[in-house]
Amino acid sequence: MTQIIDSEKIVKSYIYGDTVEMTTANGQQEQTIKVIEGKRYVNLETGEIHDMDTSNSTRLDNLKSAKQTMKKLRRLVAHNFTGGNNQLWITLTYREHITKPDIVYKDFKAFMRRLRTGFGKVDYIAVIEPQASRRWHLHVLMKNDSELTIPNDVLSQLWAKGFTKTKRLRSSDKVGNYLVAYLSNLQLDSSSNSDKKSIVKGARLYMYPKALEFTVPLEELKNL
């Protein structure tokens, strides 16, 4: 569908890899709630006043922010990872049922210290992924300036918290799009007696914590 953009609107462009992305805000969205004092808000359509749920550990009330975070992640990945012998995709999982993101970030920082001690300067983008059970694991894109080869059994020893999976990033085709779709969409069993899977688009976004982070060291990665 073709949409006409008003000549007075501000258009932003993002260039990353072989992609040019153009964005604009074509008109203001109608406001439906208004925050008031006492951690409350008013539903402007009904006039009802509600308490804000500040204890919720998920992002049900902050889905827009989660989507913006994923857009930024996609741009950073596509701009910095194009495939090659110097790039790896690592998955880090836990033996135990870890449900607290702060534990995951702490363990990952310790893992990267050990990895850099043995393999030198390695840059990365890392993001945690929630399972339907609320259990967390990590996906990490890694790169260096030459050739990055780390056996999976060595990575498993360095991680020491569970299991690891390592694959080579060989193609520059839609790496960012693929990763973000993988982290956003939830795969579910369609039935207990079937091997088929059903994909719920965007469902995983509701499961991320309010303070969703992905860690990006800035020594080598290019900022947009």
Side-chain angles (χ1 to χ4, degrees):
M1 183 179 70
T2 301
Q3 184 176 12
I4 299 176
I5 300 175
D6 192 298
S7 60
E8 296 183 357
K9 299 296 181 183
I10 296 176
V11 177
K12 294 182 179 180
S13 63
Y14 300 88
I15 302 174
Y16 44 90
D18 297 327
T19 301
V20 179
E21 178 182 339
M22 311 292 289
T23 66
T24 186
N26 211 13
Q28 296 292 327
Q29 302 227 349
E30 184 178 355
Q31 185 177 2
T32 58
I33 66 169
K34 180 179 180 181
V35 178
I36 59 177
E37 62 181 7
K39 295 184 179 180
R40 298 178 299 166
Y41 66 91
V42 179
N43 184 323
L44 297 179
E45 295 179 345
T46 65
E48 296 175 327
I49 297 177
H50 301 277
D51 293 327
M52 296 179 65
D53 184 3
T54 58
S55 63
N56 194 347
S57 60
T58 66
R59 304 186 76 174
L60 288 169
D61 58 345
N62 205 17
L63 184 59
K64 181 179 179 180
S65 176
K67 290 180 178 179
Q68 289 299 320
T69 300
M70 286 297 175
K71 283 184 180 180
K72 183 178 180 181
L73 175 62
R74 175 171 56 83
R75 293 166 185 160
L76 283 170
V77 169
H79 199 50
N80 291 283
F81 289 86
T82 57
N85 290 333
N86 69 327
Q87 299 176 24
L88 294 173
W89 181 352
I90 311 297
T91 303
L92 307 174
T93 62
Y94 281 91
R95 295 186 192 92
E96 300 178 0
H97 192 82
I98 301 299
T99 59
K100 295 183 178 180
D102 55 337
I103 294 177
V104 181
Y105 289 122
K106 180 180 178 180
D107 289 342
F108 175 70
K109 289 179 180 179
F111 163 76
M112 283 305 304
R113 285 195 297 269
R114 293 191 292 268
L115 186 144
R116 285 173 163 172
T117 298
F119 292 89
K121 189 172 182 296
V122 176
D123 290 298
Y124 64 87
I125 295 176
V127 63
I128 61 175
E129 178 193 2
Q131 300 300 101
S133 63
R134 304 290 177 180
R135 186 171 183 163
W136 296 97
H137 60 250
L138 278 151
H139 292 285
V140 189
L141 295 175
M142 294 182 176
K143 66 185 292 188
N144 65 6
D145 292 331
S146 54
E147 182 173 342
L148 185 59
T149 301
I150 310 175
N152 190 64
D153 58 341
V154 174
L155 279 169
S156 183
Q157 293 176 14
L158 293 172
W159 174 234
K161 295 291 182 180
F163 311 98
T164 62
K165 182 179 180 180
T166 307
K167 61 188 293 187
R168 178 74 67 187
L169 277 177
R170 297 191 180 278
S171 173
S172 61
D173 184 26
K174 307 300 183 183
V175 174
N177 288 344
Y178 177 79
L179 178 63
V180 169
Y182 187 91
L183 295 171
S184 300
N185 301 329
L186 188 63
Q187 189 179 72
L188 301 174
D189 291 326
S190 57
S191 71
S192 58
N193 298 320
S194 173
D195 293 333
K196 294 182 179 179
K197 303 286 186 179
S198 59
I199 304 296
V200 182
K201 297 291 185 180
R204 205 186 303 272
L205 292 176
Y206 288 93
M207 302 169 65
Y208 283 103
K210 289 183 178 180
L212 170 62
E213 300 176 17
F214 52 89
T215 54
V216 185
L218 300 177
E219 297 93 343
E220 292 293 334
L221 298 183
K222 304 172 185 175
N223 290 312
L224 297 180

